[in-house]
């Protein structure tokens, strides 16, 4: 009988115990990015909301990591990561359509897609083909918040 009372009580505490763990994971992702802004995250390991007003997500989708467009995009990013880091960009990849990450569910890519998201969480750009870092940074530099950062020197 005691087990019938104790088990439901313990189960009711699980959501309360999970909340600090979720917050800790969010803090860890942001902390990892702040420590090394060239870190590339997989969609399954982060929540874009954790980066609101902190960083500009650039999400690279593909149907498989071997997809030529995905490989080309990641090579382009790897060639000039400091330019993206200077603009507070966090790079996120999603190459597993079957996993249906929250990011994939929200952005609904078809095949390869490059998506640039502002610090406010709004989608600023979607491209169905790889883009050079120079082109990505030019589009970011046109964003109002980035214009303000440039004026304020931050």
């Amino acid at each position: 009988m005691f087990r019938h009372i104790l088990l439901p009580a313990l189960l009711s505490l699980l959501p309360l115990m999970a909340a600090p763990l979720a917050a800790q994971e969010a803090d860890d992702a942001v902390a990892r990015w702040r420590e090394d802004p060239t870190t590339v995250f997989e969609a399954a390991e982060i929540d874009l909301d954790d980066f609101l007003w902190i960083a500009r997500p650039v999400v690279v989708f593909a149907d498989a990591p071997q997809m030529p467009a995905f490989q080309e995009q990641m090579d382009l990013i790897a060639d000039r990561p400091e330019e993206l880091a200077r603009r507070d960009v966090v790079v996120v990849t999603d190459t597993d359509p079957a996993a249906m990450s929250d990011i994939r569910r929200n952005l609904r890519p078809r095949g390869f897609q490059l998506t640039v998201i502002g610090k406010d969480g709004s989608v600023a750009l979607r491209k169905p083909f790889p883009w050079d870092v120079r082109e990505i940074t030019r589009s970011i530099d046109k964003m109002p918040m980035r214009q303000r950062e440039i004026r304020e020197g931050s």
Side-chain angles (χ1 to χ4, degrees):
M1 180 173 156
F2 190 65
R3 190 171 35 177
H4 295 289
I5 296 170
L6 188 58
L7 186 59
L10 287 174
L11 289 176
S12 69
L13 292 176
L14 282 178
L16 297 175
M17 294 165 51
L21 289 176
Q24 180 65 35
E25 288 174 7
D27 291 343
D28 288 348
V30 173
R32 280 180 48 207
W33 174 78
R34 283 190 167 139
E35 186 176 307
D36 180 6
T38 63
T39 301
V40 176
F41 292 92
E42 291 184 24
E45 62 182 329
I46 69 164
D47 181 349
L48 293 183
D49 289 343
D50 298 337
F51 289 90
L52 276 175
W53 306 111
I54 296 171
R56 295 175 178 88
V58 169
V59 186
V60 184
F61 292 100
D63 290 339
Q66 301 83 10
M67 197 171 182
F70 177 78
Q71 290 293 322
E72 180 182 351
Q73 184 63 68
M74 296 313 294
D75 289 344
L76 290 168
I77 288 171
D79 286 345
R80 297 179 62 200
E82 67 284 344
E83 292 298 318
L84 296 173
R86 197 171 297 131
R87 288 162 178 84
D88 297 333
V89 168
V90 58
V91 177
V92 181
T93 63
D94 187 330
T95 58
D96 186 3
M100 264 326 253
S101 68
D102 288 340
I103 297 171
R104 183 175 287 271
R105 198 174 356 270
N106 290 335
L107 296 175
R108 298 181 306 240
R110 291 190 181 104
F112 177 85
Q113 180 176 292
L114 171 71
T115 307
V116 178
I117 301 171
K119 283 186 175 181
D120 63 355
S122 64
V123 174
L125 177 75
R126 293 177 195 254
K127 290 293 176 186
F129 47 83
W131 249 31
D132 186 83
V133 168
R134 186 169 156 235
E135 295 166 316
I136 295 170
T137 57
R138 280 185 179 176
S139 69
I140 290 171
D141 288 346
K142 292 176 185 175
M143 295 177 178
M145 187 176 294
R146 177 65 182 149
Q147 288 289 308
R148 186 168 20 116
E149 291 170 353
I150 292 168
R151 279 193 309 273
E152 293 172 1
S154 57

